[in-house]
């Protein structure tokens, strides 16, 4: 009977209105935002229960996470795509962002980028001819990820484009990414005008030759320390790369001055790099892929090694399930729109740049970059909370990528698909927003999350591989 004479203190699980009634009656109440794991699917919930604490999964995750942490991404060269990617020397191949998708199903920006790439390669003379060629089956399309590459937004890579070559010095894997074009009318947002093509041709000749000379003179540039320093200077190396680009420029310029590069070519290249705060983005993506590919193919591991979007679907890969993609419709991006645009104008989430979040950067490192909220929305406190919340779904932290706002604790890293399905906490991604029509360009930036269905599918596949399916 003493219970009924004590002050009422309630923990409310479920509908918030239950707790509100207790509070109105004068009781103290704490409401928990709890939902059944796996979206309430009994079969997936049972599989999750069998996978949580599974010794083979835990052991595999320890191996995969250690390989990720041990990876040392190093910029070693700049090459033309056909020289770096063997398949491009054998066929007319264009790479795109995200999981596999057919031409007819592609969103506007990806189709527009492919049309621009066809014109850039000289395979067609007009956009109409390029579209006919793309639809006719004479050109092969594949995800960048299928060829050790990544590309932002539409992610278009064609045979004549220059690529960063990033090598894992602690292993044997390499990763590639294209050069960043800057903002405005650019191929990665589906633009393919003569202005865009002229810039690409200059990037594929003069800029390529200049930057390659400088990179080769450097004889290797360690990217992990550079990224770590940029995090302490206010970047999160996804949507804010101002510090990282400056640090790269600081290393590259003395090297360029010591090689035989024509003065005007050097001036134009230096002005282009200095005027493009996003220039380092593609390098941060290649570095992230090099680290995550080092963790790939560890049988039974539930660690996520890729998250990518093609403007239609969002896909993830697990270390323990090989090259399989687990896909769901891509979410819209909730954020700040440029004047005159709304979410009705926006394409769905797009690009391979979520590889940065997969590696513990980008949205996972927002605590390092309070200024990013001016671009993607929210407050500095929101940015810090995002970084804290991601620790609930990862295998650990990366002490190399430390966050001053979190007492120099490491970024959350090593997304565990089990933890995502169990907790309902979804990986956060900050991203640019592309117009749904080709060529309009970027219309905003904001925050989105990976769809939960990708992770429940992955858990089902992992359970089947281990023989513990419901």
């Amino acid at each position: 009977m003493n219970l009924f004479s004590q002050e009422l203190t309630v923990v409310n699980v479920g509908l918030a209105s239950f707790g509100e009634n207790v509070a109105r009656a004068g009781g103290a109440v704490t409401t928990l935002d709890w939902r059944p794991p796996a979206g309430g699917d009994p079969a997936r919930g049972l599989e999750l229960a069998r996978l949580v604490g599974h010794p083979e999964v835990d052991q595999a995750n320890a191996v995969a996470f250690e390989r990720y942490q041990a990876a040392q991404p190093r910029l070693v060269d700049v090459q033309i795509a056909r020289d770096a990617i063997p398949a491009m020397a054998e066929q007319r191949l264009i790479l795109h962002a995200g999981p596999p998708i057919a031409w007819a199903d592609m969103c506007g920006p990806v189709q527009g980028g492919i049309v621009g790439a066809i014109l850039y390669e000289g395979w067609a003379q007009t956009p109409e001819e390029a579209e006919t060629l793309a639809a006719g089956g004479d050109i092969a399309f594949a995800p960048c990820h299928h060829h050790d590459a990544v590309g932002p937004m539409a992610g278009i890579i064609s045979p004549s484009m220059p690529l960063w070559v990033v090598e894992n010095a602690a292993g044997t894997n390499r990763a590639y990414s294209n050069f960043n074009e800057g903002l405005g009318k650019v191929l990665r947002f589906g633009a393919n005008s003569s202005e865009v093509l002229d810039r690409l041709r200059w990037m594929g000749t003069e800029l390529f030759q200049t930057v390659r000379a400088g990179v080769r003179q450097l004889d290797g540039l360690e990217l992990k320390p550079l990224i770590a320093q940029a995090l302490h200077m206010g970047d999160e190396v996804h949507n804010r790369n101002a510090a990282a680009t400056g640090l790269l420029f600081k290393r590259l310029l003395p090297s360029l001055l010591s090689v035989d590069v024509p003065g005007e070519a050097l001036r134009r290249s230096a002005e282009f790099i200095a005027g493009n705060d996003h220039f380092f983005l593609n390098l941060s993506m290649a570095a992230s892929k090099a680290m995550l590919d080092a963790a790939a193919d560890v049988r039974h591991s539930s660690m996520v090694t890729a998250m990518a979007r093609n403007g239609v679907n969002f896909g993830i890969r697990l270390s323990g399930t090989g090259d399989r993609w687990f896909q769901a419709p891509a979410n819209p991006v909730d954020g700040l729109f440029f004047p005159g645009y709304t979410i009705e104008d926006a394409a769905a989430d797009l690009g391979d740049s979520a590889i940065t979040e997969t590696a513990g950067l980008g949205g996972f490192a927002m605590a390092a970059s309070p200024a990013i909220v001016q671009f993607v929305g929210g407050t500095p406190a929101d940015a810090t909370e995002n970084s804290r919340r991601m620790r609930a779904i990862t295998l650990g932290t990366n002490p190399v990528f430390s966050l001053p706002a979190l007492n120099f604790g490491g970024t959350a890293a090593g997304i565990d698909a089990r933890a995502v399905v169990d907790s309902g906490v979804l990986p956060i991604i900050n991203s640019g927003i592309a117009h749904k029509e080709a060529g309009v360009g970027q219309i905003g930036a904001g925050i989105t999350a990976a769809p939960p269905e990708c992770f429940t599918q992955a858990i089902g596949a992992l359970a089947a591989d281990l023989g513990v399916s419901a």
Side-chain angles (χ1 to χ4, degrees):
M1 296 299 292
N2 290 337
L3 175 66
F4 296 101
S5 63
Q6 295 174 10
E7 182 179 351
L8 188 62
T9 302
V10 175
V11 175
N12 178 53
V13 179
L15 294 176
S17 59
F18 291 169
E20 292 167 1
N21 290 333
V22 173
R24 279 196 291 269
V29 60
T30 299
T31 298
L32 299 181
D33 184 12
W34 180 88
R35 299 171 191 180
D41 183 324
R44 288 289 181 265
L46 181 58
E47 289 169 345
L48 176 65
R50 291 169 176 168
L51 291 175
V52 172
H54 193 292
E56 290 185 56
V57 179
D58 288 346
Q59 183 178 7
N61 282 342
V63 172
F65 191 63
E66 190 280 329
R67 290 181 183 176
Y68 153 77
Q69 287 191 308
Q72 297 295 331
R74 189 167 179 260
L75 174 61
V76 295
D77 202 3
V78 177
Q79 295 180 3
I80 293 299
R82 69 168 64 88
D83 299 325
I85 299 173
M88 285 193 157
E90 301 166 0
Q91 60 181 321
R92 286 184 170 182
L93 172 65
I94 295 177
L95 306 184
H96 60 78
I101 189 168
W103 164 261
D105 299 324
M106 292 176 182
C107 69
V110 175
Q111 285 192 339
I114 286 174
V115 167
I118 292 172
L119 295 172
Y120 169 73
E121 295 293 338
W123 298 337
Q125 301 306 311
T126 67
E128 293 75 20
E129 289 177 10
E131 288 184 18
T132 300
L133 194 61
D138 293 327
I139 295 174
F141 305 114
C144 292
H145 274 288
H146 288 192
H147 296 274
D148 303 319
V150 278
M153 299 310 291
I156 304 302
I157 297 175
S158 66
S160 300
M161 293 181 180
L163 300 180
W164 298 111
V165 181
V166 174
E167 186 174 81
N168 172 21
T172 59
N173 59 296
R174 283 188 165 189
Y176 309 99
S177 188
N178 48 6
F179 279 12
N180 193 283
E181 308 157 80
L183 299 177
K185 301 290 186 181
V186 291
L187 190 75
R188 70 179 184 276
F189 286 105
N192 51 43
S193 65
S194 58
E195 171 193 355
V196 173
L197 297 177
D198 287 345
R199 185 191 306 114
L200 288 174
R201 293 185 183 107
W202 172 76
M203 292 173 67
T205 51
E206 184 173 274
L207 182 65
F208 159 67
Q209 293 161 5
T210 302
V211 173
R212 179 179 62 176
V215 169
R216 289 182 174 178
Q217 181 68 16
L218 275 175
D219 194 27
L221 176 63
E222 301 293 340
L223 295 176
K224 239 178 174 177
L226 195 152
I227 290 171
Q229 187 177 357
L231 292 176
H232 289 185
M233 298 170 68
D235 282 358
E236 38 71 76
V237 294
H238 182 171
N239 270 294
R240 190 179 193 276
N241 282 275
T245 298
L247 293 170
L248 174 67
F249 189 69
K250 182 179 177 181
R251 293 295 304 276
L252 193 57
L253 187 58
S255 178
L256 288 171
L257 293 173
S258 66
V259 296
D260 186 19
V261 175
E264 281 301 300
L266 175 57
R267 180 186 62 79
R268 284 188 288 266
S269 298
E271 286 180 349
F272 179 79
I273 297 170
N276 178 8
D277 281 348
H278 288 277
F279 194 71
F280 189 81
L281 167 62
N282 301 49
L283 262 178
S284 74
M285 292 171 59
S288 296
K289 181 162 178 62
M291 290 186 285
L292 290 160
D293 279 358
D297 299 320
V298 180
R299 191 180 182 199
H300 299 151
S301 171
S302 59
M303 178 174 159
V304 178
T305 53
M307 296 193 296
R309 317 89 91 202
N310 57 30
V312 176
N313 293 321
F314 190 112
I316 70 169
R317 282 171 152 180
L318 298 190
S319 172
T321 54
D323 293 336
R324 280 178 282 180
W325 288 96
F326 306 102
Q327 302 183 51
N331 290 326
V333 181
D334 180 23
L336 302 177
F337 287 87
F338 299 162
Y341 297 105
T342 70
I343 197 168
E344 298 299 321
D345 302 306
D349 197 16
L350 175 63
D352 286 335
S353 56
I355 195 70
T356 57
E357 277 81 6
T358 319
L361 300 166
F364 282 50
M366 286 180 69
S369 185
I372 196 67
V373 300
Q374 294 179 306
F375 189 52
V376 300
T379 67
D382 293 333
T384 300
E385 179 55 29
N386 286 333
S387 293
R388 283 199 180 98
R389 194 167 74 256
M390 292 303 98
R391 292 182 174 180
I393 58 171
T394 57
L395 296 170
T397 60
N398 189 335
V400 175
F401 299 146
S402 61
L403 304 174
L406 298 184
N407 294 321
F408 292 93
T411 62
I415 300 168
D416 184 351
R418 298 176 304 174
V420 174
V421 176
D422 191 19
S423 68
V425 175
L426 298 171
I428 193 166
I429 298 163
N430 58 36
S431 182
I433 304 173
H435 197 285
K436 61 187 177 184
E437 296 177 7
V440 176
Q442 184 172 4
I443 60 172
I447 300 292
T448 188
E453 295 84 358
C454 297
F455 299 92
T456 54
Q457 291 173 30
I459 287 299
L462 193 61
D465 289 349
L466 280 160
V468 297
S469 294

